[in-house]
Every structure is written in structure tokens, then in C-alpha cells.
Amino acid sequence: MPNGIPFLFEITWYFCIFVKIIDMETIHLDLNKRYTFADYLTWMDNIRRELIDGFVKMMTPAPLRIHQEVSSRLFLSIGNQLAGKSCKVYYAPFDVRLPNNSEQIADEQVYTVVQPDISVICDLKKLDEKGCIGAPDFIIEIISPYTAKVDVEDKYHLYQKHSVKEYWIVYPESKSVSIFLLNNDQKYQLIGMFAGDSNVKVNIFEDVTVNLKEIFRD
């Protein structure tokens, strides 16, 4: 084979892959149409989306640096404290499917799939190769200017409806956290709003705390 042909073949291969990726980015969805998790799995592009009751919610292409720093510190802090226990901790992107009931769990029957910033699952039977099917025990969402309404309103009601036991909304700009805990009536109760150098307890566990000074350090 003449010199340079293998290199030319490799360049051509990478160019085809690049063109394919560009083509995938052109997927346009009807935002007024309801979709299922089965549809979601076919969207092989670089655009992040969630489904809430079948309707597409666009996500930010890449979170801000402060978002990533806060997320990684929360993941490490909680994950290290849960090491050796029966719970698992995941960070986004990680698909959490929330079916309407336990009988409708097939991909084409699931209309809600979200990617929480941090998910803690203690019922390991809910985990499969696609992520989590059913409500995590504990979810953290980190606010950004683009996701504030979804996290504070839409996901608050969604997680309450599906009985996520504890929900934290984290505000990196104000270095604060709002904590909600599901009460006996299956409604969220505001446990408190914390900031500064507080040591904040994860209420569903006996011995897991988060130091906000460390989480929000510069």
C-alpha cells in the first residue's frame, strides 16, 4: 500500500464521524408533542434533554464551572459517607425514569425521565443498565439561571408526586441550600434554609452531613 494511504484512510474515517456528529446535532423535536422514554433513547445527539409528563425540557449544553465544582464536592462528600452502605450515589448525566405506576415500566410506557444533579438510590432493585426506574430516595438539584424555574417549581412538584423522600435545592450564587422532606401526608415540608459554614444533615440518614463552607469554597 502506498505511503500515506493508511493515514489518509484514518483522516477520512474521522471526517465521516465528525460529519455524522454534526448531522446528529440537527435533530429538531416538536415541543408540543408527548414523547416516551423509548423515543428519548433514539435521540442520539449532543443535546441534553429531559422529559416531564412526555414533554421535552431542554437542558443547558454545559453547566457553569461553579455548578460543576459544587456538584463534584457534594458527590464526593455524600458518596464517601455512604461508602459501605447499601445506597448508591450518581451524578448527572444519569437517567431517572419516573413511571406513573409500578405496572407501567416499559420504555414506551414511561413519559418522565430526568437527570438530577445528584441522585441517591437505596433500593438497588430500581437500578438497571439504563439508570434508575422509580424514585430515588434523595435528590439534589443545583440552580443555574437557565434551570431555576424547572428546579424550583416543576421538579419540586414532580419529586413530591413520585415520593422522593428528600429534596435539596442548592444555590451556588448565594451559597445556600433549601431542604425539603416528605411528611406523612406525602407533601414536602421545608426543613430549613442553610448558608455560611453550616453543617447540614441529610435527614433520611442518621450519620450523613454536608459542610457548606467546604461545598461552596472558592
Side-chain angles (χ1 to χ4, degrees):
M1 181 178 292
N3 290 338
I5 294 300
F7 176 75
L8 179 61
F9 174 80
E10 183 176 353
I11 291 297
T12 303
W13 183 82
Y14 279 116
F15 176 75
C16 291
I17 295 299
F18 175 75
V19 169
K20 186 175 181 180
I21 291 174
I22 296 299
D23 286 343
M24 289 193 302
E25 291 178 345
T26 62
I27 293 176
H28 296 289
L29 299 172
D30 182 352
L31 300 184
N32 295 312
K33 178 181 175 181
R34 291 185 77 209
Y35 297 93
T36 67
F37 183 60
D39 298 315
Y40 174 94
L41 292 174
T42 68
W43 303 334
M44 304 297 290
D45 58 15
N46 296 324
I47 299 173
R48 295 182 64 204
R49 307 175 182 87
E50 294 177 309
L51 286 179
I52 296 182
D53 195 28
F55 294 101
V56 175
K57 300 290 184 181
M58 305 302 295
M59 304 179 70
T60 55
L64 299 176
R65 179 176 59 85
I66 188 173
H67 181 289
Q68 295 297 77
E69 290 178 352
V70 168
S71 177
S72 64
R73 291 168 190 159
L74 284 166
F75 174 77
L76 290 172
S77 175
I78 295 168
N80 286 337
Q81 294 177 76
L82 290 177
K85 294 182 170 61
S86 61
C87 302
K88 290 186 178 290
V89 187
Y90 296 91
Y91 57 88
F94 175 76
D95 287 336
V96 172
R97 287 158 283 157
L98 298 173
N100 289 327
N101 59 64
S102 59
E103 304 299 321
Q104 297 179 318
I105 60 173
D107 292 349
E108 62 274 11
Q109 295 174 312
V110 175
Y111 287 88
T112 296
V113 52
V114 291
Q115 294 185 358
D117 288 307
I118 305 288
S119 303
V120 178
I121 297 102
C122 298
D123 182 355
L124 302 187
K125 296 190 297 295
K126 293 181 178 180
L127 297 174
D128 61 18
E129 70 280 1
K130 298 172 185 174
C132 177
I133 178 75
D137 296 84
F138 176 33
I139 283 178
I140 300 176
E141 295 286 6
I142 302 168
I143 291 292
S144 75
Y146 308 101
T147 66
K149 181 184 182 302
V150 172
D151 293 335
V152 173
E153 295 183 17
D154 299 349
K155 287 189 174 180
Y156 173 94
H157 294 293
L158 180 70
Y159 297 156
Q160 178 179 261
K161 173 185 175 182
H162 288 274
S163 299
V164 175
K165 295 175 184 175
E166 188 161 352
Y167 179 37
W168 287 20
I169 303 177
V170 177
Y171 301 85
E173 293 298 328
S174 62
K175 299 184 178 181
S176 63
V177 180
S178 296
I179 297 179
F180 301 91
L181 191 66
L182 209 63
N183 63 22
N184 292 333
D185 296 323
Q186 299 300 296
K187 300 293 184 183
Y188 276 141
Q189 177 180 348
L190 177 64
I191 299 300
M193 301 173 69
F194 304 89
D197 58 356
S198 299
N199 281 311
V200 183
K201 185 179 188 302
V202 181
N203 295 273
I204 63 171
F205 300 117
E206 289 294 329
D207 54 356
V208 178
T209 60
V210 172
N211 181 267
L212 296 188
K213 184 176 181 180
E214 170 60 23
I215 297 302
F216 294 124
R217 62 182 167 81
D218 294 328

